[in-house]
Amino acid sequence: MNEIAIKKTALYDLHLKLGAKFVSFAGWEMPIHYAGSGILKEHQTVRTDVGLFDISHMGRFELSGKGCEAMLSRIVPTPTQKMKRGDAQYSMLLNEEGTVLDDIYIYKKGKDKFFLIVNASNREKDFLWLQGHLENPAILQDVTLETALLALQGPKSWNLMERVLPFDKEEIALRTFVETEIIPARGNGVLVARTGYTGERGYEIVAPLPNVTKVWNALLAAGGELKILPIGLGARDTLRLEKGYPLYGHEINENTTPIEAGLDKFIDFTKEFIGKAPLILQQAKGVTKKLICFQLLVGGVPREGYSIYSGEKEVGKVTSGNFSPSLKKGIGMGFVAPRYADIGSEIFVSIHDRGAAAVIVKPPFYRKGK
Amino acid sequence: MMTIEPTLWYHKEHEWVKVTGTKALLGISDFAQDALGDIVYLELPKVGVNVKAGTEITEIESTKTTSPMYAPISGKIVSVNETLKERPELINKDPYGEGWIAVIEMADPKEVEKLMTASAYETFLQKEEH
């Protein structure tokens, strides 16, 4: 691992100037939070105002070529065949055993033209997997290092986008994403998508590298009155956790199927896709583990790897856990045998050798106005 | 800027000690709170328990991580800062003041001399950063 050079995004020097504290994530040196704010304040800013993230570590692929629509539909389990130009879809790559190689986002730019966003840790693996299942004349290109990916998230993100997008706002309201530009960084050809990982209204913006600093600065400047803050990966994690969104390597991995992780609602069983047969079998037989969301009833912070108990019996492990800034309580996710997974059941999480009482809840942990 | 209170003693695990007679007031340094980030919870050490210098007395939870806190000095815990139950963020806001964590009745008041002075701690931090 040490031999691999640490990767930095195009905005690294800007983050340094903004006082970022860095963390190594999937081989990338990324801001965890910025000086003078901290994770709690950044979290709150995204819940009430608007925040700007650099998430350029995530992998980005272009897929094109005649017939690639049909090929993609046979690879992924979600109904990509129903996508229209301007649609975005949460999807997954499954292996033949039906377990999750990655969770991804698919954007349809046009007929036989797609843009994919994949997890940083899985970029090379996904590329090879897709490449191995595509046929001529489909072309897959990794454009991660030629572009940057920003996320603008929070209830005031639209007020901000109104100021920097050059066209009638109706257009982005109609579609999930558009190809456009950010004023005043003209001619930058960005892709603006109405997607995100925070549970708030928000946008993800793909910008070609030469313009990314301009785009970042234009967004921060336009958001000045809206109390915009740059946000690090720390708050990105607490924000997604409060919504019960899975994170690859924690809730989903190559030992877990989408059914076990509660992601079966995204799957289109009416079509053929890689990993379908074992999933149908699992649906018939039932799962042996199930993802739960739980909230502590006492003080404490659950963390990944902690044991989950039902009474005296160990029944599973925590996969993600932290302090919920909105609920002011410890929250987490984990896997247990289905008979222990009922909503409302009391469990115990072993935190530093004490059993902290918790209750299984239905996600999301956090809803607006609560 | 990181502050180091000049009148305190420091342990290598970033706890500070303020001695008054045979009592030692203790907390964590500004460097430690800054490294931890937003502190969201700590299980207060138990009053009446005897502790040995260098042993873990509790864990401090931040949004970033869980970090053990060590007894900088041996003795009996005679009081803890109950306010931190509701307001753990005081450790971030005022690590040398309102964010104090516990008071230890020292077993051997001379033991404090094994700790670092403020200037020694400053040198220690500089070395840690490089």
Side-chain angles (χ1 to χ4, degrees):
Chain A
M1 256 328 254
N2 294 334
E3 286 157 34
I4 300 164
I6 294 284
K7 295 185 274 275
K8 292 173 179 173
T9 78
L11 294 166
Y12 180 84
D13 289 343
L14 222 64
H15 297 315
L16 263 184
K17 278 189 204 147
L18 289 165
K21 296 216 173 186
F22 291 91
V23 62
S24 194
F25 185 81
W28 292 77
E29 198 70 354
M30 300 301 292
I32 183 164
H33 66 83
Y34 294 82
S37 46
I39 294 171
L40 291 179
K41 187 172 176 193
E42 291 177 14
H43 180 106
Q44 195 54 32
T45 294
V46 175
R47 287 275 180 256
T48 58
D49 299 299
V50 56
L52 183 62
F53 305 69
D54 176 13
I55 48 169
S56 302
H57 62 297
M58 300 199 76
R60 295 176 288 288
F61 303 155
E62 296 266 9
L63 172 63
S64 61
K66 197 167 186 295
C68 76
E69 289 191 12
M71 293 178 215
L72 184 64
S73 175
R74 283 194 297 271
I75 297 171
V76 302
T78 59
T80 53
Q81 73 280 6
K82 292 181 185 163
M83 292 177 79
K84 295 186 190 69
R85 183 172 75 95
D87 281 351
Q89 191 176 86
Y90 176 73
S91 191
M92 283 163 267
L93 300 180
L94 304 181
N95 61 25
E96 279 86 359
E97 288 76 46
T99 63
V100 186
L101 288 165
D102 200 5
D103 64 337
I104 66 174
Y105 237 101
I106 301 174
Y107 301 86
K108 186 164 178 178
K109 294 173 92 169
K111 181 156 176 62
D112 288 324
K113 269 187 89 176
F114 294 91
F115 188 79
L116 312 180
I117 297 184
V118 307
N119 280 295
S121 54
N122 294 329
R123 193 176 121 212
E124 287 81 8
K125 177 179 84 173
D126 291 358
F127 189 86
L128 291 172
W129 177 261
L130 285 164
Q131 194 78 293
H133 289 88
L134 291 165
E135 290 152 35
N136 278 333
I139 302 162
L140 185 69
Q141 280 178 290
D142 184 335
V143 296
T144 310
L145 301 180
E146 294 147 45
T147 54
L149 179 62
L150 310 181
L152 185 79
Q153 303 278 302
K156 293 183 185 158
S157 57
W158 174 246
N159 310 48
L160 199 161
M161 286 312 266
E162 267 188 322
R163 299 174 190 201
V164 298
L165 287 179
F167 56 81
D168 185 358
K169 62 177 174 182
E170 303 286 316
E171 195 169 343
I172 196 158
L174 289 173
R175 298 206 191 124
T176 311
F177 79 87
V178 291
E179 287 176 82
T180 179
E181 57 186 18
I182 298 282
I183 301 166
R186 283 272 174 194
N188 45 35
V190 298
L191 186 86
V192 175
R194 232 173 28 187
T195 49
Y197 194 45
T198 62
E200 296 299 327
R201 181 168 197 170
Y203 303 86
E204 288 176 316
I205 301 153
V206 184
L209 270 201
N211 288 316
V212 62
T213 306
K214 274 190 203 162
V215 171
W216 172 274
N217 287 334
L219 292 169
L220 275 189
E225 288 165 33
L226 302 168
K227 294 189 247 168
I228 193 170
L229 281 182
I231 313 289
L233 292 188
R236 184 170 160 84
D237 193 48
T238 52
L239 288 158
R240 72 94 193 167
L241 184 60
E242 280 188 351
K243 298 304 286 187
Y245 295 159
L247 174 62
Y248 196 85
H250 296 256
E251 286 70 42
I252 40 178
N253 53 41
E254 290 182 39
N255 295 314
T256 307
T257 70
I259 300 174
E260 292 161 341
L263 300 172
D264 38 333
K265 57 178 180 269
F266 295 105
I267 296 178
D268 177 5
F269 282 103
T270 66
K271 66 163 194 175
E272 293 309 310
F273 58 87
I274 299 169
K276 183 179 175 182
L279 293 187
I280 288 176
L281 193 65
Q282 191 175 50
Q283 274 191 325
K285 283 173 61 181
V287 293
T288 55
K289 63 174 182 180
K290 215 176 152 186
L291 187 67
I292 57 159
C293 290
F294 63 86
Q295 187 172 311
L296 292 198
L297 299 169
V298 295
V301 182
R303 307 278 182 188
E304 181 182 8
Y306 289 4
S307 294
I308 299 172
Y309 289 83
S310 173
E312 300 283 296
K313 189 178 157 67
E314 184 174 343
V315 295
K317 294 274 187 205
V318 175
T319 50
S320 286
N322 209 327
F323 175 80
S324 160
S326 303
L327 305 178
K328 311 253 181 281
K329 283 194 177 88
I331 59 170
M333 295 195 263
F335 282 98
V336 297
R339 66 178 174 282
Y340 301 107
D342 293 339
I343 305 288
S345 301
E346 189 166 302
I347 54 167
F348 295 90
V349 180
S350 175
I351 301 182
H352 312 312
D353 300 326
R354 76 190 160 91
V359 63
I360 298 178
V361 296
K362 191 172 182 289
F365 293 97
Y366 167 82
R367 285 183 189 85
K368 263 267 129 59
K370 270 201 171 178
Chain B
M1 260 318 284
M2 218 78 77
T3 60
I4 298 174
E5 273 293 306
T7 58
L8 306 177
W9 294 92
Y10 295 86
H11 185 254
K12 63 178 168 53
E13 299 290 349
H14 309 287
E15 289 80 17
W16 57 261
V17 170
K18 183 183 181 180
V19 176
T20 315
T22 56
K23 288 197 168 65
L25 180 70
L26 56 107
I28 64 168
S29 72
D30 191 33
F31 172 86
Q33 72 75 21
D34 185 69
L36 282 172
D38 295 320
I39 293 167
V40 292
Y41 183 77
L42 88 159
E43 187 79 9
L44 287 167
K46 290 214 165 48
V47 172
V49 170
N50 280 300
V51 296
K52 235 184 124 213
T55 58
E56 191 178 320
I57 50 172
T58 190
E59 291 90 13
I60 300 177
E61 304 277 2
S62 75
T63 47
K64 267 188 226 174
T65 185
T66 299
S67 175
M69 179 184 171
Y70 299 91
I73 204 141
S74 307
K76 186 190 204 173
I77 296 174
V78 289
S79 139
V80 292
N81 186 356
E82 297 282 344
T83 317
L84 298 178
K85 269 190 192 166
E86 295 302 318
R87 301 184 60 201
E89 70 276 12
L90 287 175
I91 301 172
N92 293 119
K93 287 186 180 142
D94 190 8
Y96 301 116
E98 282 192 89
W100 68 275
I101 292 170
V103 177
I104 289 180
E105 177 72 39
M106 291 184 283
D108 173 12
K110 277 192 194 143
E111 199 188 24
V112 79
E113 287 159 27
K114 290 184 188 163
L115 298 174
M116 287 177 267
T117 60
S119 64
Y121 183 57
E122 194 174 352
T123 313
F124 174 75
L125 285 187
Q126 279 161 4
K127 273 190 204 149
E128 277 228 320
E129 279 172 10
H130 295 285

